[in-house]
Amino acid sequence: MAQNKNIVLVMGKPNSGKTSSLRNLDQSKMVYLNTDLKEAPFKDQFLANAEIADAMHILNYIQEIENNPKATGAIVDTLTFLMSMYERQYVTTATNTQSAWGNYGNFYREFIHAIKSGTKDYAILAHEDSFLNEQSMLMESRVPIKGAVGKTGCEADFTTILSSKQIPIKKLEGFENDLLHITDEEREDGVKYVFCTRITKEFIGEKMRSPMGLWARNELYIDNDLNQVFNRLKEYYA
């Protein structure tokens, strides 16, 4: 079985542009799996906007997406809330919490297997937490997930990880590239929402990663535009 390569994890703080990065996708062919139960920050026209009220239902949705010829993929917004929902619905209410935490890990692994064994495009959005690594004394980032999954770090399951950020326009000078478009409004505001594609000395301890050669050196910052990202992945793996 070939592993699905069209999977992207987007990590970011609140109001860093995670959900707005969906705006240029061909929404008529994408399913929005809404675990945060919130409105998109733009007028959406998704093939379906599914509010996930039961965490377990997401596995059925992914199977339906894989079997639907009209669907090219899906967005999970967010993985963090999905796992919190599972904990609230199936762990805190369990009489045997040890067994329930084991099921928590199994649910996560079933979800990851479902998208990795799939054939569609999957954008997995996740909240980002920062913590002090007491061994290195460096601040590090992670997706806040509990249990054994959290100890290992769910980031290990993704080949392409982007960080959504607000960056001052002045800091983008010198990083001009075909995937970075600064509008007059952004210049006036002095800030732009971007994806950061790799770790630098400024971002030590963060989790960005990608296949070698996916991004050019000057593509450290690109538009927070998942349509561009999936197009680049398809070019890279063609």
Side-chain angles (χ1 to χ4, degrees), residues 13-67:
K13 304 285 188 182
N15 194 33
S16 62
K18 295 187 298 298
T19 305
S20 64
S21 71
L22 312 174
R23 64 196 180 281
N24 291 328
L25 291 170
D26 187 350
Q27 296 177 33
S28 66
K29 298 178 181 179
M30 297 289 287
V31 176
Y32 184 54
L33 299 174
N34 186 357
T35 66
D36 286 21
L37 305 180
K38 67 180 182 183
E39 293 293 327
F42 50 84
K43 185 177 180 180
D44 75 77
Q45 297 177 314
F46 291 111
L47 177 62
N49 187 331
E51 293 190 352
I52 308 299
D54 185 320
M56 289 293 292
H57 290 172
I58 203 163
L59 300 175
N60 294 330
Y61 274 113
I62 291 172
Q63 189 59 53
E64 290 175 8
I65 290 162
E66 286 294 320
N67 293 332

Side-chain angles (χ1 to χ4, degrees), residues 26-222:
D26 187 350
Q27 296 177 33
S28 66
K29 298 178 181 179
M30 297 289 287
V31 176
Y32 184 54
L33 299 174
N34 186 357
T35 66
D36 286 21
L37 305 180
K38 67 180 182 183
E39 293 293 327
F42 50 84
K43 185 177 180 180
D44 75 77
Q45 297 177 314
F46 291 111
L47 177 62
N49 187 331
E51 293 190 352
I52 308 299
D54 185 320
M56 289 293 292
H57 290 172
I58 203 163
L59 300 175
N60 294 330
Y61 274 113
I62 291 172
Q63 189 59 53
E64 290 175 8
I65 290 162
E66 286 294 320
N67 293 332
N68 186 345
K70 294 182 180 179
T72 59
I75 305 104
V76 176
D77 189 5
T78 59
L79 176 60
T80 323
F81 274 42
L82 174 67
M83 297 309 297
S84 294
M85 185 188 303
Y86 184 95
E87 179 188 358
R88 185 176 68 252
Q89 294 174 336
Y90 295 101
V91 178
T92 59
T93 59
T95 53
N96 186 335
T97 54
Q98 183 177 358
S99 176
W101 279 114
N103 292 335
Y104 174 98
N106 290 336
F107 166 72
Y108 171 79
R109 284 184 284 273
E110 283 186 56
F111 167 74
I112 291 297
H113 177 75
I115 61 174
K116 283 189 173 182
S117 62
T119 60
K120 306 295 177 85
D121 299 341
Y122 291 100
I124 311 301
L125 312 187
H127 296 280
E128 179 182 326
D129 206 1
S130 298
F131 69 101
L132 178 65
N133 184 321
E134 294 182 354
Q135 292 183 331
S136 65
M137 296 307 293
L138 292 172
M139 293 300 295
E140 297 186 5
S141 67
R142 63 183 172 193
V143 176
I145 291 178
K146 296 182 180 179
V149 174
K151 290 179 181 179
T152 303
C154 72
E155 301 84 13
D157 288 310
F158 296 88
T159 303
T160 303
I161 304 177
L162 301 171
S163 177
S164 59
K165 298 182 182 296
Q166 298 180 33
I167 298 291
I169 295 297
K170 288 184 178 180
K171 289 188 67 174
L172 299 176
E173 294 175 359
F175 293 99
E176 292 81 3
N177 62 77
D178 292 340
L179 301 183
L180 183 67
H181 308 89
I182 303 175
T183 67
D184 291 340
E185 290 81 4
E186 289 167 337
R187 292 189 187 280
E188 182 179 343
D189 293 338
V191 67
K192 180 176 176 63
Y193 292 94
V194 300
F195 284 149
C196 185
T197 62
R198 71 173 186 272
I199 297 170
T200 67
K201 62 182 180 180
E202 184 178 356
F203 304 123
I204 291 174
E206 298 197 23
K207 295 295 193 297
M208 296 82 84
R209 65 146 64 105
S210 62
M212 189 177 297
L214 179 64
W215 311 110
R217 288 294 296 174
N218 66 330
E219 292 174 341
L220 172 63
Y221 301 113
I222 62 175

